[in-house]
Amino acid sequence: MITIGQLAAYVGVSVKTVRVYHQKGLLPEPERDASGYRRYSAGDAITLIKIRTLAEAGVPLARIRELMSASDGEFRQALREIDDALVARIRGLRTTRTRLRRLSAGQLAPLPAEVVDHLEQLGRWGFTPRWVDLQRDLWILVFATHPESADALFHDQAQTLAEPALRLLFLEYDRAYDPALPDLARRILAATRERYGDGAPPVQVDSASPIPALVQDDINASSPAWRRIDSILRAG
C-alpha cells in the first residue's frame, strides 16, 4: 500500500491532480488508516494510469467517469472510437502543418497542375500579368472554399477560353481596365481645387435645375471611361 504522494510520483501526475480526480468521482478515495494516511493499492495505480492516458488523449473528464464504470466491451469500443478521433485529428493537424509551410513559402494554397498550366497558357494568349494574378487568386479562393465544385467550374472556364471568339471577348475585357483613369481623375480634381479652392465655382446653375445632371448623364453615356472618371470625382 502506498501514499498519495507515492501514487502520484509512480504514475507521473501531481498530488493535486489525484485530488481533482477524487472530487470528480473518477478515482475512489480510500479510507484513512490508523495513522491517518490514505493508502492506495496497485489497482488504484492502474485506474489512475487509465485516467491519465484518457485525459492526455483529450477525453473530457465527464466522459472518463462514464468509461470507468463501463464494461470491458464498452470500454474497448469507446477506446476504438477515441482512437479513430485521434487519427482524424492527426490527419487534420498534418494538413494544417502543410498549409502553414506553404503559406510561409508564399503559397496561399496548392492548385491542381492543370490550373497552373492554364494560368501559364493565359500569358501565352496575351492576357496581362494583372489578369493572370487575379485569376490565380480567385482559383485559390474557389478551390479552398468550394472543393466539391471547383473542378467543374474550372473546366467550364477553361473550355470557354479555348474557343477563339470567346477568348477575344475576355481579352478585350482584360484590356478595358485602364489604371490611368484614377490618376486622371485625381489631376482633374486637383486642378479644379487649385482654380476654385474648396468653395463652389463662382458661376453656378440653379441647383433645382435638372440640366446639369442631364448633361453629365449624356457625357457618361458616351464613354464608360468618362462614367468612371465622374464616379471617381464624385467620391473625391
Side-chain angles (χ1 to χ4, degrees):
M1 304 293 286
I2 57 178
T3 65
I4 187 172
Q6 292 170 321
L7 173 69
Y10 291 152
V11 176
V13 297
S14 67
V15 171
K16 181 179 179 181
T17 297
V18 177
R19 290 191 172 122
V20 168
Y21 292 159
H22 285 327
Q23 295 170 2
K24 298 294 184 181
L26 302 177
L27 180 67
E29 190 172 12
E31 297 294 332
R32 296 182 184 276
D33 62 11
S35 302
Y37 292 101
R38 299 190 188 279
R39 301 290 180 172
Y40 296 84
S41 65
D44 293 324
I46 292 172
T47 299
L48 184 56
I49 290 172
K50 289 181 179 179
I51 296 171
R52 185 202 64 186
T53 302
L54 291 169
E56 289 177 348
V59 181
L61 294 184
R63 176 65 171 147
I64 295 176
R65 184 170 57 248
E66 295 174 6
L67 293 177
M68 290 298 100
S69 60
S71 65
D72 287 344
E74 292 172 337
F75 187 79
R76 289 189 175 88
Q77 176 59 32
L79 290 183
R80 285 192 290 270
E81 293 174 358
I82 293 169
D83 183 70
D84 290 342
L86 284 174
V87 170
R89 282 176 56 192
I90 291 170
R91 187 182 301 115
L93 288 171
R94 285 175 176 167
T95 301
T96 300
R97 187 182 183 191
T98 300
R99 289 176 177 173
L100 288 174
R101 287 178 173 177
R102 290 195 180 105
L103 182 59
S104 178
Q107 302 172 5
L108 290 178
L111 285 173
E114 59 181 341
V115 178
V116 175
D117 293 340
H118 173 74
L119 293 171
E120 293 176 354
Q121 180 62 51
L122 291 180
R124 291 192 291 269
W125 277 334
F127 285 94
T128 63
R130 181 199 64 255
W131 177 269
V132 176
D133 289 343
L134 174 63
Q135 292 298 306
R136 178 181 295 104
D137 290 346
L138 291 177
W139 284 123
I140 286 173
L141 179 63
V142 171
F143 274 90
T145 58
H146 294 82
E148 71 287 347
S149 56
D151 279 326
L153 291 170
F154 166 72
H155 287 132
D156 179 67
Q157 188 192 80
Q159 291 167 7
T160 298
L161 292 178
E163 298 183 26
L166 294 176
R167 185 165 66 247
L168 285 174
L169 289 177
F170 278 91
L171 281 167
E172 290 186 34
Y173 185 87
D174 176 18
R175 292 162 187 166
Y177 176 86
D178 189 348
L181 292 182
D183 180 65
L184 176 58
R186 283 192 292 269
R187 287 191 286 125
I188 292 173
L189 187 60
T192 301
R193 285 176 174 167
E194 183 178 357
R195 178 174 176 81
Y196 300 111
D198 292 332
V203 179
Q204 298 187 67
V205 178
D206 182 4
S207 59
S209 172
I211 299 302
L214 289 175
V215 170
Q216 188 61 56
D217 287 345
D218 191 53
I219 293 173
N220 289 347
S222 302
S223 167
W226 292 345
R227 183 164 58 251
R228 187 175 173 210
I229 289 173
D230 181 54
S231 67
I232 295 172
L233 290 172
R234 290 178 185 277

